[in-house]
Amino acid sequence: WMIRSELLMLAASFGFGGGIVLSYALCDLIREFFLFGKPAKVISELLYWTLAGMAAFWVQFQLNDGIVRLYSVMGAAAGLFLFHRLIKDVYEGLTRKVKRCGRIRKIRRKKRRKQLQNSLKMRYNQVKIKLNSLRTLEETEENTEKEP
């Protein structure tokens, strides 16, 4: 029974290590897609690793009564390493596509912003012209009233 529980703990640690790699890759892709700024990236990193640490503690606590054993740490490290090697090429390909998509979205956003700025400038100039024409009309009316 003791060996069985230790093997279960080793498997859970291995799966946890793989889950860390997969979830981190997913979070990184989301950050790239939504073009997080540096402060948002730092905050998301802190949040991610805090949650990952809490999850690691929970796995240890549930399966091994909170006792950290070397085999469970090595199982998590093996899971991290193996899953990293397995998904590395797919992850890099997805990252390139997501970055390209993010750049396209950024360019489109800049174009929309520029169009809005141009539209606002045009409206501003129209209002300015109208106000100037009203002023000159008002001045001519004042001058005609003063002349007689």
Side-chain angles (χ1 to χ4, degrees), residues 2 7-8 10 20 32 38-39 44-46 48 51 56 63 68-69 80 89 103 108 111 126 128 130-131 137 139 141:
M2 184 71 144
L7 285 174
L8 177 65
L10 180 64
I20 290 290
E32 289 294 333
K38 191 161 188 149
S44 68
E45 284 282 326
L46 286 171
Y48 175 81
L51 292 173
L63 297 178
V68 178
R69 304 268 181 166
L80 283 164
D89 293 335
R103 276 189 240 116
R108 286 181 182 161
K111 283 182 181 178
Q126 288 173 346
K128 191 173 159 182
K130 187 68 172 174
L131 286 174
L137 181 65
E139 287 174 1
E141 286 177 0

Side-chain angles (χ1 to χ4, degrees), residues 3-87:
I3 296 291
R4 183 175 175 201
S5 66
E6 289 176 354
L7 285 174
L8 177 65
M9 181 63 188
L10 180 64
S13 297
F14 184 82
F16 177 76
I20 290 290
V21 169
L22 292 173
S23 62
Y24 184 80
L26 181 63
C27 287
D28 195 38
L29 289 173
I30 290 169
R31 279 194 304 255
E32 289 294 333
F33 183 76
F34 289 110
L35 301 170
F36 279 23
K38 191 161 188 149
K41 283 183 180 181
V42 169
I43 290 169
S44 68
E45 284 282 326
L46 286 171
L47 184 62
Y48 175 81
W49 287 111
T50 300
L51 292 173
M54 290 169 51
F57 176 77
W58 185 81
V59 167
Q60 288 288 324
F61 186 76
Q62 291 296 317
L63 297 178
N64 209 22
D65 295 327
I67 300 170
V68 178
R69 304 268 181 166
L70 183 60
Y71 69 88
S72 65
V73 173
M74 294 306 290
L80 283 164
F81 178 75
L82 182 65
F83 275 78
H84 175 71
R85 300 293 292 168
L86 287 174
I87 70 163

Side-chain angles (χ1 to χ4, degrees), residues 101-116:
C101 183
R103 276 189 240 116
I104 290 170
R105 287 178 55 231
K106 190 174 185 177
I107 290 168
R108 286 181 182 161
R109 194 179 316 144
K110 282 183 180 180
K111 283 182 181 178
R112 282 193 302 255
R113 186 178 303 141
K114 191 67 174 173
Q115 288 172 345
L116 179 62

Side-chain angles (χ1 to χ4, degrees), residues 93-127:
L94 283 173
T95 301
R96 277 192 297 276
K97 288 180 181 180
V98 165
K99 281 183 179 181
R100 190 173 344 140
C101 183
R103 276 189 240 116
I104 290 170
R105 287 178 55 231
K106 190 174 185 177
I107 290 168
R108 286 181 182 161
R109 194 179 316 144
K110 282 183 180 180
K111 283 182 181 178
R112 282 193 302 255
R113 186 178 303 141
K114 191 67 174 173
Q115 288 172 345
L116 179 62
Q117 285 174 344
N118 289 338
S119 175
L120 289 173
K121 282 179 186 177
M122 186 178 74
R123 299 279 186 224
Y124 172 75
N125 288 333
Q126 288 173 346
V127 168

